[in-house]
Amino acid sequence: MTDVPISEPSPTVRVLLVEDDDFNRWLLDDYFTHHGYQVLSLAEGSSFFSTLAQFQPHVVLLDLKLPGISGYQLLEALRQNIEFQHLPVIVFTAFAFRTERQRALQLGVQGYFVKPSHPETLVAAIEKVCAR
């Protein structure tokens, strides 16, 4: 009998979902969890950095229109933070204007999706950035 190497299970991808709309947050959280991701959801951005430090996500799915602080402000602060400046961010927003998209891309996002988008496209984007 030959020894067959047992492969280690791949670590679960951790997704930090920042979305203020309750229905969208619940739907995406449920969909991503169903696809095997470990998801932590925030309804606003005030605890964003403390959550990053504690949860250590592999990718952030970020809405740009949030109460209290905009997703753009979070992105700018993230890119200035040495510990998290290279963390992949995928934007999922209602902002459909080209200038909004360009601004987010200039801040280094890895994907920009306009609501409504099918959750499968977001899963494909997560898989793409996590494969790098």
Side-chain angles (χ1 to χ4, degrees):
M1 181 173 184
T2 60
D3 289 333
V4 177
I6 299 173
S7 63
E8 291 291 318
S10 61
T12 302
V13 172
R14 291 182 305 278
V15 177
L16 177 58
L17 172 61
V18 186
E19 166 63 65
D20 65 322
D21 181 89
D22 293 337
F23 180 75
N24 284 339
R25 191 175 57 256
W26 173 82
L27 176 72
L28 291 173
D29 189 313
D30 189 57
Y31 192 82
F32 295 152
T33 300
H34 175 75
H35 278 79
Y37 301 133
Q38 183 180 352
V39 182
L40 192 124
S41 300
L42 298 176
E44 41 74 37
S46 66
S47 61
F48 181 71
F49 284 97
S50 61
T51 302
L52 281 178
Q54 191 172 29
F55 185 57
Q56 295 288 314
H58 295 103
V59 62
V60 174
L61 186 66
L62 179 66
D63 187 7
L64 294 176
K65 187 174 185 237
L66 299 168
I69 187 169
S70 77
Y72 288 118
Q73 290 171 304
L74 292 177
L75 273 170
E76 288 167 355
L78 184 71
R79 295 307 177 219
Q80 294 173 5
N81 182 305
I82 286 244
E83 186 178 357
F84 300 111
Q85 64 186 199
H86 299 295
L87 180 64
V89 176
I90 298 168
V91 167
F92 181 61
T93 185
F95 294 153
F97 294 111
R98 185 180 317 158
T99 56
E100 302 286 346
R101 179 185 178 93
Q102 288 173 336
R103 182 177 176 196
L105 291 172
Q106 288 172 343
L107 289 168
V109 301
Q110 282 69 36
Y112 190 97
F113 297 89
V114 177
K115 298 174 187 176
S117 290
H118 197 284
E120 285 179 357
T121 60
L122 298 172
V123 167
I126 291 168
E127 290 296 318
K128 183 177 178 180
V129 300
C130 289
R132 294 180 186 164

